[in-house]
Amino acid sequence: MKANPNKQILHIMKRNGVHIDASSEFEVHRALRAGYPPNMIQLTAQQLARDLKDFISQGVLFNATSLRQLEAYGALFPGTEVSVRFNPGLGSGANSKTDVGGHHSSFGIWVEKIPEVMQISRKYDLTITKVHTHIGSGSDPAVWERVAKVTLGVAEQFPNCSCVNLGGGYKVARMADEKSTVLETIGQPVKVLFREFFERTGRKLSLEIEPGSFYLVNSGAIICRVDDAVDTGAAGYRFLKLNTGMDAITRPSLYGARHPLVVVPADAEKRQVPIGERPVQEYVVVGHCCETGDMLTQSLGGEHQARLIHHASVDDFVVIEGAGAYCSSMCTKNYNSFPELAELLLKRDGSFMLIRQQQSMDQMLANEL
């Protein structure tokens, strides 16, 4: 859900039988308001929900991500079933900010603390029916196989575990030189491990995954315009300033993430020129926020990275592709008091549906006293 929680997106997911993994109590409320039944929502949150008792009473599922959370759940609902998230001790990702497993990660209960999990479960007569891990956003099949092996080893220690959740983080290529996760490739060795688990234990496990990014990454784009073009001399850079920035797309500033940038000339005659014949230019593409880090072409460390794209003039359009996930939902909304952008959904018949209005100044200021 955190990839893109717009109500209309949730409606599409619900119609297609996709369940919700909520990362906060507020995402649970949002999913319920979007019409999701409680039993299709699982809460897996870093912060213990204040509304946990009410959620579970309604039928929302709970995935304890720390010993404190498991203790709190047990005190409220002794004698019930629960899921537990473990840190398997290894992870995967393009960089440390997208890797959520291993010693450096606070996500999940450290795998060596299984005895403490068992102690709490005995104290409150809890039945661990699901074991959950999540390693990040990498595409290395060998890492997924190792994590699956560790996870199944954990599941084997809980005799009533009937489900294993291997999380999400299936890398989706935005750029031509990036490598997407091939589900068939990473799935084959995992399938073998599940079969071996069944042959060894007689227990047939179900498998859950969380493919939010996999569904959404390349399903969205941000359409903006060139507001200005400046340079810092022969030894410097040529900059394109867009009329959007980290208030709409924070991934480049946060991760050094790269997104395709497609220039669409505002002039109709220039649009008739074949793409292969249009002139190109190296630019550092920056956003409109008063922040040095608001660059769409930068490294993880924040260094400028000029990119070769088609020549652009003021008022030309720039399409920022690969913006369907973790852009609208993760932006620094209202920084420099820029309003939240409007959002349109392209329907199967080619028409557009407005699914979010552009924020007004009155809406931006509504909660100020």
Side-chain angles (χ1 to χ4, degrees):
M1 180 175 178
K2 63 180 180 176
N4 193 327
N6 186 286
K7 179 173 66 175
Q8 297 301 330
I9 302 299
L10 296 184
H11 286 170
I12 293 171
M13 294 298 172
K14 178 173 171 288
R15 287 199 301 270
N16 286 277
V18 178
H19 291 226
I20 291 292
D21 185 67
S23 297
S24 73
E25 60 192 290
F26 303 100
E27 285 193 346
V28 174
H29 285 299
R30 198 165 181 172
L32 290 170
R33 290 192 181 196
Y36 261 90
N39 65 352
M40 288 183 71
I41 304 169
Q42 175 178 274
L43 175 62
T44 306
Q46 282 284 82
Q47 178 178 313
L48 183 63
R50 295 169 296 179
D51 296 333
L52 182 61
K53 185 175 182 179
D54 180 52
F55 288 154
I56 305 305
S57 298
Q58 290 183 60
V60 172
L61 307 176
F62 182 63
N63 190 21
T65 68
S66 70
L67 295 174
R68 175 180 179 249
Q69 289 191 11
L70 186 60
E71 181 91 31
Y73 175 87
L76 288 172
F77 299 98
T80 59
E81 299 178 355
V82 68
S83 171
V84 177
R85 176 175 179 172
F86 290 93
N87 181 333
L90 68 161
S92 179
N95 55 69
S96 62
K97 293 185 178 181
T98 58
D99 183 337
V100 294
H103 287 88
H104 64 274
S105 174
S106 68
F107 294 94
I109 299 171
W110 185 242
V111 69
E112 295 175 357
K113 295 184 181 292
I114 289 176
E116 295 173 60
V117 172
M118 291 180 169
Q119 182 181 7
I120 295 172
S121 65
R122 287 193 297 269
K123 177 180 177 181
Y124 294 105
D125 190 28
L126 298 175
T127 302
I128 311 297
T129 57
K130 185 190 299 182
V131 166
H132 174 250
T133 58
H134 182 78
I135 62 170
S137 58
S139 58
D140 185 349
V143 174
W144 285 98
E145 183 178 3
R146 292 200 302 273
V147 170
K149 187 175 293 186
V150 172
T151 305
L152 289 171
V154 174
E156 192 167 353
Q157 298 181 60
F158 296 94
N160 295 299
C161 176
S162 59
C163 178
V164 164
N165 185 321
L166 292 179
Y170 304 102
K171 171 68 177 177
V172 179
R174 290 173 168 87
M175 304 294 291
D177 62 347
E178 292 179 341
K179 182 180 179 181
S180 288
T181 302
V182 180
L183 295 184
E184 292 83 358
T185 301
I186 67 167
Q188 186 57 40
V190 172
K191 179 181 178 180
V192 172
L193 290 172
F194 269 70
R195 184 181 295 117
E196 291 174 350
F197 181 92
F198 172 71
E199 293 171 352
R200 184 174 65 254
T201 67
R203 291 159 55 189
K204 197 169 186 177
L205 299 174
S206 60
L207 171 65
E208 292 181 351
I209 61 172
E210 299 165 14
S213 288
F214 198 82
Y215 287 141
L216 292 166
V217 163
N218 289 323
S219 298
I222 298 172
I223 300 175
C224 57
R225 303 188 86 150
V226 177
D227 182 75
D228 207 343
V230 301
D231 68 79
T232 50
Y237 296 97
R238 295 177 65 87
F239 295 89
L240 282 186
K241 296 184 179 183
L242 305 182
N243 68 347
T244 191
M246 62 194 300
D247 54 302
I249 176 170
T250 310
R251 295 185 73 256
S253 301
L254 188 61
Y255 302 138
R258 296 181 301 157
H259 287 254
L261 303 172
V262 181
V263 177
V264 181
D267 184 282
E269 289 187 10
K270 291 182 179 180
R271 289 200 298 271
Q272 300 306 312
V273 177
I275 291 178
E277 298 177 15
R278 296 177 188 175
V280 294
Q281 178 74 53
E282 277 198 343
Y283 297 104
V284 173
V285 183
V286 300
H288 59 183
C289 290
C290 187
E291 187 70 41
T292 304
D294 190 12
M295 287 189 291
L296 279 88
T297 57
Q298 63 176 293
S299 68
L300 177 60
E303 291 83 10
H304 295 60
Q305 284 190 340
R307 187 185 300 179
L308 189 68
I309 60 176
H310 286 111
H311 175 79
S313 302
V314 172
D315 286 336
D316 281 348
F317 295 95
V318 174
V319 180
I320 306 171
E321 296 183 335
Y326 297 101
C327 289
S328 172
S329 65
M330 200 173 68
C331 64
T332 57
K333 186 173 74 171
N334 295 157
Y335 187 54
N336 290 165
S337 295
F338 285 112
E340 187 175 31
L341 297 181
E343 295 178 14
L344 299 169
L345 179 68
L346 177 61
K347 301 174 70 174
R348 289 182 182 274
D349 63 4
S351 64
F352 286 94
M353 173 183 176
L354 183 66
I355 62 173
R356 185 190 301 279
Q357 294 180 339
Q358 179 162 316
Q359 187 181 36
S360 68
M361 183 59 70
D362 287 341
Q363 290 170 330
M364 192 187 304
L365 303 177
N367 292 328
E368 295 186 7
L369 302 177

